[in-house]
Amino acid sequence: MLHIRLPVNKRSYPYKLRAHYYSRGPMGYGMGKLEIIDHDGKGGLKFEQRPYVVMVDSAFVDLGTVAAPAQ
């Protein structure tokens, strides 16, 4: 889970997101979901989910970026 708490004008955009999957385990694959919770500093919340499936041990999965909002 990623929490973005700073006010928009104090953030260091962009945030590059990725997961490091160490071992698939007995099922042969790994599944997960990154949840992004964005606090705007004024009481507003924004939620986003980025699911992923991993088929390779020790893989890094690119989950995109969080960019600065359009002004």
Side-chain angles (χ1 to χ4, degrees):
M1 187 176 303
L2 170 66
H3 293 265
I4 303 173
R5 299 175 191 222
L6 292 172
V8 174
N9 62 346
K10 294 188 180 199
R11 296 179 184 176
S12 299
Y13 287 109
Y15 294 101
K16 295 179 183 180
L17 309 175
R18 66 183 188 165
H20 183 194
Y21 198 79
Y22 293 95
S23 177
R24 292 172 289 160
M27 291 180 58
Y29 60 89
M31 296 177 5
K33 177 174 47 176
L34 172 68
E35 292 189 356
I36 301 168
I37 302 172
D38 184 352
H39 303 256
D40 68 2
K42 301 174 186 173
L45 295 173
K46 197 166 74 177
F47 299 91
E48 185 179 343
Q49 298 178 349
R50 297 188 186 182
Y52 59 90
V53 176
V54 181
M55 304 295 282
V56 179
D57 287 343
S58 299
F60 285 90
V61 180
D62 179 16
L63 297 171
T65 61
V66 175
Q71 304 234 349

